[in-house]
Amino acid sequence: MPQDRVDGVRKYLEASFGALDPLFSDKLKFPSFFRTVPNERSVFAGITQLLKHFGWTWVGILASDDDSGERAIRDLKMMISQSGGCVEFSYTLSIDLTERNTKRIDQIVADIQNCTAQVIIVYSTSAAMTRQFLYQSWKKVHHKVWIGSVNMSFSRAITDLDNLTVLNGTLTFSIKEGQILGFEDFLYDINPLKYPDDHAVWEFWVDMFNCSSVSKENMIQCYIPLLPLCSENYTLRGYDLSAINAFSFRFTYSVYTAVYALAHALHDMYVSESRSGSAAGSFKLNFKPWKVRDYCMHCSRQH
């Protein structure tokens, strides 16, 4: 039995900030699963409405070569058909650019060039899309409207200048973004010297200031290009971080929402047990993780 099913049986709370799979909406199978992002079928419904709005009734679909991709093709075909549209072609794409797969891509590209559908719907992870468009054959596809699912909105393939002639004007669906109080100040004040063990901070710092986190001697030993050593005097205050989309909090906001939902649930649980006469110390001693589930269900309806 999958771990999430086991946890559900045990009533251990699971809160996801990125799981779009509609299977998790089945409360009989996943009674303790909560998420702060929408079911992907709502995204498919949005895509269908977009097609209908612009009168795009003849489309193609590209999806990842996995169970999610197969399900996406099936669901999209059904929804598009119900709204009066038709799907001219549908293909699944592997993330691996092996010789066999690249030959298949060449054939798919040739088919797309010869098809009459002007709109292509893409259901894929951001990593898969970025990797796919490293392959040059895609540069042959022109004058198509691309519509991407949520994950595609985070793909570097869209912002890569090499793909501008192919993906220019791509429409993507994104999850809700929101403001996180204090997070902007945190980003501006972040410094790798404050978080010396956080590799992500170091990588960000190196990219921003074109400096190195290792000494000159180590750079020579490791054959790393010589760069000035990162200084504690460097600051992000002089940079417009919004220019690199640093304040577009989408999955970050979903994490934030999940944490606050859990905090509300714990607070409600504490207040409820305090009213019943339990002391603060006994709440901690008698705390059971599975109890949070019921309070989180109430929290999801109230907050």
Side-chain angles (χ1 to χ4, degrees), residues 65-252:
D65 187 16
D66 52 30
D67 291 342
S68 294
E70 294 284 356
R71 185 180 60 251
I73 289 175
R74 183 180 65 249
D75 290 349
L76 280 167
K77 280 184 174 180
M78 180 186 68
M79 291 183 176
I80 292 170
S81 175
Q82 289 175 347
S83 67
C86 292
V87 176
E88 182 178 4
F89 65 82
S90 61
Y91 296 108
T92 57
L93 299 171
S94 173
I95 191 173
D96 297 319
L97 296 179
T98 62
E99 182 178 356
R100 179 181 178 183
N101 287 335
T102 53
K103 287 182 178 179
R104 185 168 181 270
I105 293 173
D106 290 336
Q107 183 58 55
I108 291 173
V109 168
D111 291 346
I112 291 175
Q113 287 177 302
N114 294 324
C115 76
T116 56
Q118 297 301 307
V119 178
I120 302 175
I121 301 169
V122 180
Y123 177 88
S124 176
T125 64
S126 59
M129 277 302 299
T130 301
R131 188 166 177 78
Q132 274 290 326
F133 278 88
L134 291 174
Y135 190 57
Q136 292 299 312
S137 277
W138 289 110
K139 308 297 188 292
K140 300 175 184 177
V141 179
H142 300 290
H143 310 300
K144 302 292 183 182
V145 176
W146 298 78
I147 300 177
S149 59
V150 169
N151 288 325
M152 189 178 173
S153 64
F154 295 91
S155 175
R156 288 163 52 191
I158 296 177
T159 57
D160 191 335
L161 292 178
D162 290 340
N163 297 324
L164 195 58
T165 56
V166 181
L167 298 177
N168 187 27
T170 297
L171 303 173
T172 62
F173 283 74
S174 297
I175 61 175
K176 181 182 178 181
E177 67 177 351
Q179 293 294 318
I180 302 176
L181 295 178
F183 198 54
E184 182 174 340
D185 289 333
F186 168 77
L187 284 181
Y188 273 120
D189 291 335
I190 201 169
N191 188 306
L193 297 179
K194 290 183 180 179
Y195 309 97
D197 298 325
D198 193 325
H199 296 293
V201 173
W202 274 112
E203 289 177 9
F204 177 67
W205 208 252
V206 168
D207 287 341
M208 287 297 296
F209 296 104
N210 196 30
C211 60
S212 175
S213 60
V214 298
S215 66
K216 181 178 179 180
E217 292 75 15
N218 287 336
M219 280 190 280
I220 294 174
Q221 291 176 6
C222 300
Y223 301 99
I224 300 174
L226 293 178
L227 295 171
L229 195 63
C230 293
S231 169
E232 62 179 340
N233 295 323
Y234 291 161
T235 176
L236 294 172
R237 286 289 174 182
Y239 288 82
D240 180 12
L241 295 184
S242 63
I244 58 172
N245 212 27
F247 301 134
S248 179
F249 302 132
R250 295 191 184 278
F251 278 116
T252 309

Side-chain angles (χ1 to χ4, degrees), residues 13 15-17 35-36 251-267 292 296 299:
L13 176 69
S16 172
F17 60 87
R35 53 182 162 192
T36 54
F251 278 116
T252 309
Y253 184 70
S254 294
V255 175
Y256 172 81
T257 304
V259 171
Y260 262 78
L262 179 59
H264 277 293
L266 288 171
H267 174 75
V292 184
C296 202
C299 174

